[in-house]
Amino acid sequence: MASVVIILLLLTVPSSLSLQDPSPTKGKWKLLKKSIGVSAMHMALLPNDRIITFDRTDFGPSNITFPAEKCPPNLDCYAHSVEFYPSKRGVRPLTILSDTWCSSGSLLPDGVLIQSGGNNDGERVIRTISPCEDCDWVETRNGLVSPRWYASNQLLPDGKVIIVGGRRKFTYEFIPKSSNSGKDFKEYQLPFLEETLRSDQFQNNLYPFIHLNPDGNLFLFANDRAILLDYVHNKVVRKYPVIPGGVSRNYPSTGSSVLLPLNLSGSTKTSPPVAEVFVCGGTVPDAIDQAIGNVFVPATKSCGRLRLNDDDPQWEMTKMPIRRIMGDMLLLPTGEVLIINGAASGAAGWDMAREPVLHPVLYEPFSRKFNTMNPTTIPRMYHSSAHLLSDGRVIVGGSNPNANYNFSAMFPTELSVEAFSPPYLLGPKLRPNITGIKPGMNLVYEQKIAVNFRWRGNGKELESGKVYVTMVAPSFTTHSFSMNQRVLILEMAEIRRRFTENYVVVCSVPATAEVAPPGYYQLSVVYDGIPSRTNWVHISG
């Protein structure tokens, strides 16, 4: 009788909740902490390997409080931001005084996380937090010219951050500012954002996708089209074709986007690498209207690749194995793209989506192949996030499609964090291990560096043609867009064996700040598709 019950239970489990394939080619999930106290709507990794995450300050009580002596004045004692240390699974509450709902951020060149905008009393606030043991948020009121709610950020070659858009804001501006007045305290008109507006209520162009082109201009995608912007001279230098399919890709028809890995072999200051953008997911323009009427339109499977600097750039279309909105697209140190989280129908917004997509998908840009991974058991829908960790895993958290913390809703508020291990962490291939970088972690443009690594071949010879070195720029993730992320495949000069199981690869630091903006990167040696644990390095002028 017991065996019959087990069989019936297995037959009734939905396909998206099926048991994990024991094959390591499908990845592996692990619960890191059942509750970090807040729902991880926003997420960033600092160079000390601590995750900073936060939701919004007006959700009501969270599930973590400050010690009584540290309660913020004139506020309750609930924290809405935490620092999470994945290796020790420790949680430290952080103090946020203004509303961070649907805000944006970037890691500055000095490793400080700068965070901008939000809603209500937070819409013009700038917040910063430094990577130290007891640092907390520092807030600057009226630090922005305009309110920025649902805006996007990008670190620039000069170390400044550009903030683009926001609800009913068709402008951009720069931070950090030298003062709250004067010529530095200004914004610039961007009619493209008004041109891509669907309606004032459901715009379909919020959280625009921004990628820094290696020529120094800015690729901007909103709704279903894109431009190349010379932000220095406030001039559109190129208009790209509309992406085919009749699908909107930005909030609330939320898809995602990455700049595919930049291969720096053969590139120079005057001959930048090929730049290609990848956009996936989304839904029809009126999906949000239908969801309000309790009709949940299927999301799209479609993706588009676009080479930004071709003479006649055209979208190359393909399909994911699974329909998806609100998916997070993350670049891995191998150069692969992980698509994770989201739903298969509806739109972004409170209780506006159905059919959680539990299976991540791994996309290999060079072969253009998708592979479906093992599923999680936890739906991660609206207000979820994900981030690459230095050990090669992906941390996943958040999901709260409710107007407050609600643990009995159809899709409850989720306070847990998980780790997804891509197949490259699960063997049987052996993982290289970086043993040193000469001259050190502080790098300058065009510099030659020697990366020493160990690879235990168990009697096998290392094949130099299977070695490459990557640098990953850390991102700020919220609402299905990981701002600032990029992967650089470094140009290599030589690979040689030093002694038993120890090797050195000599490679070049990127030539320009347009290719690699100044700041921190996660450097990894990849052998036969298996990346080492990343080492933090820093590029300056």
Side-chain angles (χ1 to χ4, degrees), residues 65-73 76-77 92-93 95 134 136:
T65 57
F66 295 101
E69 67 276 10
K70 292 188 176 180
C71 293
D76 60 38
C77 231
R92 181 169 68 94
T95 308
D134 57 355
D136 207 339

Side-chain angles (χ1 to χ4, degrees), residues 4 14 40 54 60 73 91 110 116 135 168 229 258 263 270 298 313 331 353 373 400 431 439 463 475 498 506 515:
V4 172
F54 51 94
V91 177
D110 60 1
S116 48
C135 286
R168 295 181 292 278
L229 176 69
V258 293
N263 189 338
T270 57
L331 294 168
M373 300 286 104
N400 189 16
R431 196 175 190 190
E463 300 177 49
S475 60
R498 298 178 63 231
V506 178
V515 170

Side-chain angles (χ1 to χ4, degrees), residues 131-154:
C132 70
E133 290 295 326
D134 57 355
C135 286
D136 207 339
W137 288 103
V138 176
E139 302 195 23
T140 303
R141 299 289 174 139
N142 299 320
L144 295 170
V145 176
S146 280
R148 301 289 174 187
W149 191 29
Y150 298 91
S152 294
N153 293 14
Q154 172 65 52

Side-chain angles (χ1 to χ4, degrees), residues 202-281:
F202 304 119
Q203 298 185 18
N204 276 345
N205 68 352
L206 298 176
Y207 279 123
F209 304 143
I210 309 177
H211 303 293
L212 180 65
N213 193 15
D215 70 359
N217 292 311
L218 209 62
F219 174 86
L220 297 178
F221 184 104
N223 200 334
D224 61 358
R225 64 200 65 197
I227 59 171
L228 195 61
L229 176 69
D230 176 352
Y231 58 86
V232 176
H233 301 100
N234 192 23
K235 179 182 178 182
V236 175
V237 295
R238 174 170 251 176
K239 290 186 177 181
Y240 294 100
V242 172
I243 191 169
V247 172
S248 295
R249 310 283 178 166
N250 297 86
Y251 182 90
S253 296
T254 304
S256 191
S257 174
V258 293
L259 176 69
L260 291 176
L262 299 173
N263 189 338
L264 306 189
S265 296
S267 67
T268 64
K269 284 185 175 180
T270 57
S271 179
V274 172
E276 194 168 8
V277 162
F278 195 41
V279 177
C280 283

Side-chain angles (χ1 to χ4, degrees), residues 480-507:
S480 304
F481 183 44
S482 291
M483 306 170 195
N484 306 291
Q485 69 172 335
R486 64 208 285 119
V487 166
L488 309 170
I489 303 174
L490 302 189
E491 182 169 41
M492 297 189 301
E494 63 171 322
I495 302 169
R496 63 178 184 272
R497 184 173 181 172
R498 298 178 63 231
F499 49 89
T500 305
E501 297 181 342
N502 285 266
Y503 303 85
V504 60
V505 52
V506 178
C507 47

Side-chain angles (χ1 to χ4, degrees), residues 103-132:
S103 50
S104 52
S106 299
L107 199 68
L108 291 174
D110 60 1
V112 171
L113 176 63
I114 189 167
Q115 203 277 319
S116 48
N119 192 33
N120 298 320
D121 67 341
E123 61 187 6
R124 291 182 57 198
V125 175
I126 297 293
R127 309 166 193 89
T128 58
I129 187 168
S130 300
C132 70

